[in-house]
Amino acid sequence: MKKIGLLLLVIVLFFSGCKKDAPIQESFDFGYGFFPLNIGDSSFFLVEQTTWNDFDNTIDTITYSLCEYIESMTVNYTGDSLYRIERLKKYDNDPTWNLDSVWFALKTKNEAIRVEQNISYVKMVFPVSLNSLWNGNIHNTLGSKTYTFSNLSSNVVVNNISYNRTVNIQQENFVTLINSDVENEIYADGVGLVKTEKTHVYKTYNPASGEFEIKSGYIFSQKRVQ
């Protein structure tokens, strides 16, 4: 009996001396910083759009400055914070900013949404992860459209401004000999949208040049300058 009691005492002392491993503290970045929303924030862009008109065979290019200003915030019917974005436009020969439109944006646990011209688009999903797929039109009636995180980069330069951590979102990528439908947006951590590129053109074959040339459509570029 004494031996059994001694053995039990040794076992109790052994286990009492063992310490449980401390819980591992993991910090996971969901990528919310790629879509910041703060009242009073302003973003300035240089916009250029070239349009090919096959009706009169003209090519027209316009450029202007765009400012997006987060004017206020309210709470929508689902309890999410809805931010009002005032978009002001200024052409080179115009010294004053003029209100062009009002858009909205909100960020939930899983989605970043922009309401552009009363149409809601899911710009990104959380967590931000390379090659994740989602329907950017899930909250509108335009039909399904697959978005994806096509690139995570440590350094992207836009208008001579270097952004240390960015994500590229491919919204459309359909290219043939006669059609190009490509849309991409780049967001920087702690900054938001820094670049938008859209190409929607139709091409025809020109025997004289031996190449397919743009006949109709447009190319749109929006780059952050401040």
Side-chain angles (χ1 to χ4, degrees):
M1 293 295 293
K2 290 183 178 180
K3 290 183 178 180
I4 296 175
L6 180 61
L7 178 61
L8 291 174
L9 178 61
V10 171
I11 293 173
V12 170
L13 291 175
F14 174 79
F15 281 103
S16 64
C18 293
K19 294 182 179 179
K20 293 182 178 180
D21 292 335
I24 299 175
Q25 300 293 331
E26 295 184 356
S27 57
F28 185 80
D29 183 4
F30 278 75
Y32 296 130
F34 288 110
F35 200 82
L37 293 172
N38 302 290
I39 296 174
D41 281 359
S42 297
S43 302
F44 293 87
F45 302 90
L46 179 63
V47 179
E48 179 175 297
Q49 178 169 319
T50 301
T51 303
W52 286 260
N53 189 330
D54 58 352
F55 180 75
D56 56 9
N57 294 319
T58 58
I59 303 175
D60 183 40
T61 298
I62 60 171
T63 60
Y64 58 88
S65 297
L66 175 69
C67 171
E68 291 194 344
Y69 171 66
I70 301 181
E71 186 269 339
S72 61
M73 183 273 290
T74 187
V75 178
N76 66 6
Y77 67 96
T78 60
D80 296 313
S81 297
L82 184 66
Y83 291 82
R84 173 189 168 98
I85 302 174
E86 294 187 350
R87 291 164 48 86
L88 299 97
K89 183 185 294 186
K90 181 172 73 70
Y91 291 95
D92 292 339
N93 57 355
D94 189 347
T96 60
W97 291 92
N98 297 293
L99 182 64
D100 177 73
S101 57
V102 175
W103 291 3
F104 296 89
L106 64 100
K107 182 167 56 180
T108 69
K109 181 180 179 181
N110 301 312
E111 297 177 333
I113 300 171
R114 290 251 296 187
V115 184
E116 304 175 353
Q117 298 175 340
N118 296 320
I119 301 175
S120 297
Y121 299 94
V122 180
K123 292 295 186 175
M124 67 179 70
V125 293
F126 305 112
V128 171
S129 178
L130 190 62
N131 297 323
S132 293
L133 303 175
W134 69 96
N135 179 9
N137 289 339
I138 195 169
H139 297 307
N140 63 50
T141 59
L142 297 179
S144 180
K145 189 174 182 180
T146 301
Y147 289 16
T148 183
F149 296 115
S150 62
N151 187 35
L152 294 172
S153 177
S154 58
N155 186 34
V156 167
V157 177
V158 179
N159 276 331
N160 297 319
I161 303 174
S162 180
Y163 299 97
N164 294 328
R165 185 167 178 253
T166 62
V167 58
N168 186 90
I169 298 174
Q170 181 180 286
Q171 300 172 339
E172 192 169 359
N173 187 29
F174 179 77
V175 179
T176 68
L177 284 175
I178 62 173
N179 286 94
S180 290
D181 293 293
V182 180
E183 294 185 3
N184 290 280
E185 288 187 336
I186 298 177
Y187 291 79
D189 189 23
V191 177
L193 180 66
V194 296
K195 187 177 182 180
T196 299
E197 290 185 324
K198 297 181 181 181
T199 298
H200 293 280
V201 296
Y202 171 75
K203 301 178 182 179
T204 58
Y205 181 73
N206 184 346
S209 65
E211 298 180 352
F212 286 88
E213 300 177 352
I214 298 175
K215 185 69 173 178
S216 62
Y218 70 92
I219 295 178
F220 174 90
S221 171
Q222 177 177 318
K223 298 178 180 179
R224 187 182 177 102
V225 293
Q226 184 179 339

